[in-house]
Structures are given as C-alpha cells and as structure tokens.
Amino acid sequence: TQWSLVLAKYLRVVRVLRPWSLVGRSRSTMLVFRALTEAMGSMTNLAVIATCVWLMYAILGTQVFRGTTYACSEAEWGDQTYAGERIYDRETCLGHNYTWRNSVRNFDNVGESMLTLFGVATTDMWTDVMFLNADGRSFDEAPRANARPFMVLYTISFVVVVSFFLLNMTVSVLIDAYMRTR
C-alpha cells in the first residue's frame, strides 16, 4: 500500500505535465517556447545586472536612511500624537511611556532595504516610501514633514531605473529572442 501511494503521487506530477503535450502540437506555441528557452542566457545576464542595480540602491538606501523612520506611537492605537502635540524625539516619547517604533518599510539593514525596494519596484505605495524618505531626519528623531525634500530623488530614480528601464530591457530581450527564432 505504501508503494501505491508513492506511485499515485508520481502520477499526479505526470498529470500536471499534460499541458506540455500541447506545445508540440501547435507551431506557434513551439516557436514561443523555443524563443523563451533561447532567451534564458540573456535573461540570466539581465537578472545579474538587475540584482547589482538593486543591491547598489539597497546599500545606498541603508547608508542614507538607516534609523530615520522611527516615530513615537501610542501602543494601543498606533497614533503618533500626544495631547495634540507631536513628539519629535525618542527621550520625550519614552518619557511619556509611549513606544518608539520603526516603520514597516525601512532601510535599517540591507535586507530590509531590499524588501522595501521590492515594494517600490512593484509601485505598491511607492509614494509613501518616497515621502517617508523626505521626512526622515536622523537617529532618535521622528520624521518631520519635508525635513529633506531632495531625498525624493532617490525613490524616483529607483522607480525610473527599475520599473521602466529594466522592464523595457526584459521585454527587448524576449522580443529579440522571438525574432531570431522566427
């Protein structure tokens, strides 16, 4: 009975591969499949370039924005106010028994920077990260509106380079591979 369970699992895997039989039947599908396999070398090179660009931005972001996204918040509501006034430093925040919290999207280490930049690359609330970078000041100081407005250039340049330039390069590599296989 154990062998029959193992055999059943293998048969399920083979059943998943059934749509691949259609690739050989259609000439146009076979052409697309050949173009994709031919483009793998160029796509690997492009992935290395994209990773290097991404890592460069992550290291730069960590150096410039590390520790600038902390703010005071009430533990119960997550509100960043106290008695109608904003608290702009860590000592005052902790003195009022509030919590000194970091933003979910931050640049405190290279891993967090890569994750934050992934969200920016998908253009998911990238403007929030952009304004958070512009508002950040320094360690132990909460963000203040437009404290460093020129820092929006970091996020905008990342969006332009990754979302437009690298995406267009990917499409160009795929189209070039398709045209060569035709």
Side-chain angles (χ1 to χ4, degrees):
T1 60
Q2 183 181 7
W3 290 105
S4 62
L5 289 174
V6 171
L7 182 63
K9 287 181 182 179
Y10 284 120
L11 288 176
R12 284 186 200 150
V13 169
V14 171
R15 188 172 42 176
V16 166
L17 298 175
R18 239 186 316 178
W20 284 104
S21 65
L22 296 175
V23 171
R25 293 183 189 168
S26 172
R27 185 180 183 285
S28 60
T29 309
M30 190 64 165
L31 182 66
V32 169
F33 183 72
R34 262 191 266 136
L36 286 174
T37 55
E38 185 178 317
M40 284 300 163
S42 299
M43 292 297 287
T44 303
N45 293 337
L46 189 58
V48 168
I49 291 170
T51 304
C52 289
V53 167
W54 211 299
L55 189 61
M56 178 188 70
Y57 269 94
I59 292 170
L60 180 65
T62 302
Q63 290 296 317
V64 175
F65 303 117
R66 183 184 327 156
T68 61
T69 57
Y70 283 87
C72 189
S73 74
E74 295 181 63
E76 201 172 310
W77 301 101
D79 190 346
Q80 295 180 353
T81 60
Y82 171 71
E85 297 177 21
R86 285 194 51 102
I87 298 176
Y88 286 109
D89 61 10
R90 183 178 181 184
E91 291 178 24
T92 309
C93 177
L94 297 177
H96 290 293
N97 292 328
Y98 290 149
T99 307
W100 189 248
R101 288 192 187 159
N102 199 2
S103 173
V104 174
R105 293 182 171 105
N106 62 65
F107 291 90
D108 286 348
N109 57 52
V110 175
E112 289 288 336
S113 297
M114 294 283 276
L115 191 60
T116 301
L117 289 175
F118 179 76
V120 171
T122 61
T123 63
D124 176 37
M125 294 193 289
W126 70 276
T127 54
D128 292 346
V129 174
M130 179 180 68
F131 290 127
L132 191 63
N133 292 342
D135 295 346
R137 296 189 300 161
S138 66
F139 290 111
D140 293 337
E141 291 183 2
R144 195 173 266 179
N146 296 323
R148 300 187 302 176
F150 55 91
M151 290 300 176
V152 299
L153 296 175
Y154 170 83
T155 311
I156 291 172
S157 69
F158 181 78
V159 168
V160 168
V161 168
V162 171
S163 296
F164 300 131
F165 185 67
L166 289 177
L167 183 64
N168 283 337
M169 283 180 62
T170 304
V171 171
S172 299
V173 164
L174 292 174
I175 289 173
D176 183 53
Y178 180 77
M179 295 308 269
R180 278 187 279 143
T181 56
R182 278 182 98 185

